[in-house]
Every structure is written in structure tokens, then in C-alpha cells.
Amino acid sequence: MSTSKLVRQAVHSALLASTAAVAGVAPVYAADEPTNIQEVVVTGSRIRIPNMESISPVTAISEEDIAATGKVRVEDIVNQLPQAFAAQGSTLSNGSTGTATVDLRGLGAKRTLVLVNGRRLMAGTPSSAPGSSAGAADLNTIPAALIERVEVLTGGASSVYGADAVGGVVNFIMNTRFEGVQVDANYSFYNHQNDNSSAAADAVRARNFALPDSSVNTGYTKEFSFLLGSNFADDRGNATFYATYRDVDAVLQADYDYSACTLYSGDTFSCGGSGTSFPGRFIPYTATQEADLTFDPVTGVVRPYTSANAYNYAPLNYFQRPEQRYTAGTFLNFDVTDNVNSYAEFMFMRDESVAQIAPSGSFFVDAVFACDNPLWSAAQRQAFCGNFGLNTANGTTDTINMQVGRRNVEGGGRQQEFAHESYRAVIGLRGDINDAWSFDVFGQYGQASLASVYHNDFSNTRLVRALDVVRDSSGNIVCRSVVDGTDPNCVPWNIWSPNGVTPEALNYLEIPLVLTGKTTEKIVNASVTGDFGSYGVKAPGAETGLMVNVGAEYREETSDLTPDAAYQSNDGAGQGGATLPIGGGYRVNDVFLEARMPIMEDQPFAKSLSAEAGYRYSEYNTDWQTDTYKLGLEWSPIEDIRTRASYQRAVRTPNVAELYSIQQVTLDGTVDPCAGATPGLTLEQCARTGVTAAQYGHISPNSASQYNGFFGGNPDLEPETTDTFSFGVALQPSFAPGLRVQIDYFDIKIEDAIQ
């Protein structure tokens, strides 16, 4: 490979200090003294340059910085940077996909492109809905022990890497030429002292909820990594192998005093919860009457339901999901000739994780009850029927409509098991054609599969049958469906008596829900880089000439998700809606061009002045065509100061879920724009949803902050476009060695956003 010119002093890498220094993570800097090194590629460009300068706002985190953090999860390393926002990870349980993702600038993980050695990392899981993580890469695939550095570029980079680099790019540079043997082992846990009198803990005490022990050790984590690398064939080749194992224990919200109850904020903290409660909330109603009732879990005495009876769903939720992860892989490099290098990469990952949230149950199922229900006490018959003027005598045919909200506390929390397996293989050839031209061509294949089982959820169908009970011809209390033959396996769910729920009833009511699927990515890429300075194409005031990179790429993305019949029919009581199958994909052909031109070097008031530009044209088999481009300028008037400005046009293509997921009404969000005293939408807009003028401004918000919506995919979607402007100033005063200050401004605007 060609060697480069001398490295300039560390002022040129001040950009790399940028936000990382603010975040407490030291960036990578070039050496202070000139040193002979190979040319490198910095994220945001395919052009190899003799230093780590970048006109784009790139932050680099070195291997030493990563070790100093003590973090064992890749997402935790990246999330320390202020550019990154929390996304999918081990600390997310409700709504988890079992993956770890990164979200730059808060634009969503689907708008952040993840690279390994400058090449795409495939989507980590097939998505069941077009949410913020659909199509995002899974960072669990990346072995932290082999990371040489992480480069984070914020702002669009589609002209260099293709679609989806809207919020930015996170590029994991791996040590592909490791030599020796390295074994690392880590053991950690969380310790918390629950001995404070905080407002949150006081709220827990006020509701007589259980507080955790005064000192808690939890979330034990064990991590092991093994690296083995060696040169061969007279140092013309290198083989690097890695294997890692991670075992993480769960952390429950019950372990912390400030999370032992469902907190409502306001002037003072208070404990709230869910109306789907224990021993239950019962709303019998007729056309003219309604009651809101519960009963004592010990005595069975019926009484009015109040907010004090809300179910505390917090303790069983996971702060940290339990997980086991295995990774293994190899990186191979071999110099075929003095100027041509062949390379190959193979990465494997298996991750098993469990997400847990509060128990399932009857989420206000609307059922019809016979007033002579044999499981009811006399007081319950009177409260549910007698008070409505209905006959409660045995043999009566009177019935009452009633909504039942009751938690399955006997069955425990809802748990979703995730098992992901991913494979990624790359094979390529790169080298020098002559002194002016070099090339790089590679093929890449990646696949991630999902197998998921949801436990402890109730069947909606079985729930209605288990609540409808009668006496059979022998006087036994059985389900009506047993008597009429509809469901001979039905077991009554006796929620009306203390300790009335039997294991047999739970075995009948609880059903598993199963998901399987996979995503696949195929890429072929070829490019050539030319140094036109060898032909004398250079600015009069510069030593370095025009550098150009030209190439083409083919990429294919497919994804499919197959839920079982219970998922598709919305038979899971705690699911919020049906989970429907998704399948599809797209292909894209790209051509791209990038140029970098030093204008002035080592001149008065211009230690360096450089410009860059890039363009990519993409043609999709879905009848889209997109253009992306970039322009940038970098100026260092003196060694101590470096300024830069850039403009990027980026695109994000709709992913498979956004294109092909089936449209449906399901649990969609936490806000009703037509609710409250001052609705977010106008009367005309809300009228389209059925709201009358009399109702407008008088609709109470949902106490659970859970609303249904109509959403799904749309095959007619077109790519969204983004314009990013960024400006930066890097200061490295010579009178203060080691001090580096970076100030960045960015403005990102998305047009035709796919939400």
C-alpha cells in the first residue's frame, strides 16, 4: 500500500476532539511530531489522506478511551457522546426489540447509519411496525474488545455511503491486524443505598408499598473476551480471531426506592398506577346506569373503586434486561503482491434476552354476565345486578354488561424472549494500480434472524369463555363453553373469591405468542481513487493536488416477519393490537463521485485551505431516483485555529416495514390531539375523526396515556430528503499544550419525513 506524506501537527486533528472532549471521552489525535504513517480513511470520505483531518464534523474515540470508560456494551460507549440519544438497549424493556441501536441527534435510529470498517452493518431485526428503530443495525454484533476506534459523523453523509445517513454515521474501525493473544474478563454489578428520604421514597411509603432493602446489589454482569492474531507468509498476511461471551442479570424497578411505585409528578410526587388492577375493577352498566366497583382482596367486601386502588405496575418492570450474548469472528488480510491486498471478514453473533413488564389480565374486556353467576357472593350479585333492578335469584335469565379490569398477579409479569442470530461476511481486493490510482472492490452479505416467544399473556378468546360460568347437570361450576361443547377445555377464572384463581385456570388462559423472521443485505461495491496531483493538477498555493474517488454500488435489502395465528388475530390480551406479517424488499444501483482539493497550504493566513465535494445518484427498483451531494470548506489561518463549514443533502429510503406493513388500527401512541381543554388540532380536523362541536374541548385525556391509531405501511412512499448545514471552530492554543476546544453548530431539516 502507498505510504503518505508527513503528519501535520495535532492542530489538524482538533476536529476529532470536538464533542468527545465535552463528553469526557478523549478523542484520537495525530502525533505532535511528524511521523511516517500510511494514508487513512476518515469517516465521511472515501479518499485516503495523510492525516486524520475531516471537513465533516467527526468525533473519534480511541481504543484506550473505550477501555477507560469501563463500559462493556457498545451502545453505552456511544451513548456517552452528546450527539447520541438513548435508543434500543439493555435498559429498555417495554417496547424492546431485543437489540441495541444508536440514535444521532435524536432523529431516530433508522436515520443513523452504522458501519464496520467503512461498510454497512445490516438491519438487526425484522420489525413488526414502522417505528423509530425499524431497519436499524444491532450493535450487539460488534465485539468491543476488538474496536480500534469509533468515528462519529453527525449530519448527512448519503453522498458517500448511500441512503439512511440522515442523522449521521457511526463507524466502528476494528483491529484487523492483531498480533498475539489477549484475554479479558470483567465482572460488575450495581449498588444502591435505599436509605434516603426522597420525595419518591416518601410517596412509596405513603401508599404502603414495599420498599427495597436498604442496600441493594443487583445487575451482575460477567464478560469474557479472547483475541488471537498472527502474521504469516513472511508478514504478508494476518489472521485475527475473536470470541466473546457476556452474561447479564436482570435489574428490577422494585430494587430501587425511587422506582418502587408508578410515580406521578406534580407539586409533589405521588404513586399512581393502572386501572387494570388487583383484585380488580368492575364497571357494570346499563343504558341508564353505571357503577365503578372493586372489592377487598381478603374479605371480598364490595366497595367503590378509587384511585387508591390503582395497580402499581412498576416493581416487575426491568430496568435492565437479562441477557446472554456470544460473538465470534475472524479478519483476514493477505498481500497478493506488493501493491494488492486481499481481505475478508466474518462476524457471528447470538444474543438471548428477556423483556419483562407488568402482568397481563383482563384489560377491561366487555362481557355479559348472568345475574345468577354461581361464583358470585350475595353481595356481589346485589352490587352487579340487584342495584340495577335485575333479578339475582338462581335460575334467572337476567344478564348485565360489565367491563372487567383485573391483573393476572398469580401468573407474574409478561415476558418476551428474544433470540437473535446474525452473520456478516465480506470479501474484497484493494491496492494500487500505479502511483496515481488505487482501487477497492468488495462483496458483502449479512443476515439477522429473530425467534421470539411471548409468555404469560392471556388469550382474549379464552378469557371471555373463562368468565362465562354456569352449573352443569351435576351441579359443578364449569364454563358455559364446556356445556355447549364450544370449548371442552375451558376452566373457570374465579377472580371473585380471595385465592380463587387456580393453576389449571392459568394453564388454560395463558398462551405463548411466537414470532420468527429475518433480514438480509447484499452489497457489491467497487471504486477507484485518483491523485491528480501526480499529473500536476493542483492549486498554485498548494503542495497536494486534486484527489478524486469514483465508484458504483449494488445493494439489496429484504426482510420478512411471520407471527403466529394468535399474534395475527390479536388474541393476546396485553398486546395492544394485532401483529401482522411483513415481507418485502428493494434493490438499488448507485454511482458516486467525490473530490477533495487543497487550495492553499503553508501560506500567510492560510496554514491550510481545502474544499471537498461529492455526488451520488441512486436508482431503485421501486421507481425512485435520488440525488445526494455535499460541499465543504476547511480553513486554518494559523496552526492554533481551524474552521470548517459544510452542506450535505441526504436521503432516507422507506424501510420494508414502512413500505409493506399491513395497515390497521392498534395501540399507536400516548397523545390524543383532540383531547383536553385546548386540543392540539382544530375543530375541523377533529371533526374528521368523529368529534362533534359539543365534544370539542371537553374530551378527557386517557388516564393510561394509551391510544389507538390507524397506521401501517404505504408502498407509494418516496424517500425523505434532508439538508444539513454545519459550522465548526477548533482551537488548540500553542500556549496551553493539551487544551483543545471545539465549537459546532448544525442545522438539520427533513422534508417529506416518513413517520
Side-chain angles (χ1 to χ4, degrees), residues 563-608:
D564 66 3
Y567 262 128
Q568 295 189 43
S569 63
N570 191 25
D571 200 31
Q575 297 303 305
T579 299
L580 302 176
I582 302 176
Y586 59 84
R587 299 184 301 275
V588 55
N589 294 298
D590 294 352
V591 291
F592 51 87
L593 168 68
E594 184 182 2
R596 182 183 176 97
M597 180 74 173
I599 301 171
M600 300 181 71
E601 293 176 308
D602 296 318
Q603 301 293 324
F605 302 107
K607 184 66 179 177
S608 68

Side-chain angles (χ1 to χ4, degrees), residues 690-721:
V691 175
T692 66
Q695 293 172 324
Y696 185 74
H698 302 285
I699 299 174
S700 299
N702 185 324
S703 59
S705 296
Q706 293 182 334
Y707 295 92
N708 282 343
F710 179 74
F711 79 112
N714 181 355
D716 295 326
L717 286 172
E718 295 185 357
E720 60 187 33
T721 59

Side-chain angles (χ1 to χ4, degrees), residues 241-303:
F241 170 80
Y242 71 88
T244 73
Y245 170 74
R246 183 171 70 202
D247 184 24
V248 179
D249 288 348
V251 177
L252 286 167
Q253 288 187 211
D255 292 334
Y256 295 80
D257 49 9
Y258 55 78
S259 59
C261 79
T262 307
L263 285 174
Y264 287 168
S265 61
D267 294 336
T268 59
F269 282 120
S270 62
C271 288
S274 170
T276 305
S277 57
F278 176 81
R281 184 177 183 181
F282 310 100
I283 305 176
Y285 65 92
T286 65
T288 58
Q289 288 180 274
E290 180 178 295
D292 195 352
L293 306 170
T294 186
F295 59 83
D296 189 279
V298 177
T299 65
V301 174
V302 180
R303 62 192 182 196

Side-chain angles (χ1 to χ4, degrees), residues 421-495:
E421 280 191 358
S422 66
Y423 307 84
R424 180 178 182 269
V426 178
I427 185 168
L429 202 65
R430 61 192 168 200
D432 296 331
I433 301 171
N434 53 37
D435 290 340
W437 291 89
S438 61
F439 72 95
D440 189 357
V441 57
F442 67 88
Q444 178 178 320
Y445 178 86
Q447 178 179 296
S449 62
L450 165 69
S452 173
V453 182
Y454 203 102
H455 298 283
N456 298 345
D457 204 1
F458 271 8
S459 161
N460 283 317
T461 303
R462 296 182 182 186
L463 177 60
V464 173
R465 294 172 182 170
L467 288 171
D468 187 9
V469 297
V470 297
R471 292 189 184 273
D472 64 11
S473 58
S474 300
N476 300 312
I477 299 176
V478 297
C479 301
R480 189 184 302 274
S481 59
V482 172
V483 175
D484 63 21
T486 305
D487 185 354
N489 297 315
C490 180
V491 179
W493 189 37
N494 183 8
I495 59 175

Side-chain angles (χ1 to χ4, degrees), residues 10 29 63 252 371 394 451 543:
Y29 301 108
E63 178 183 4
L252 286 167
C371 287
N394 288 337
E543 176 187 351

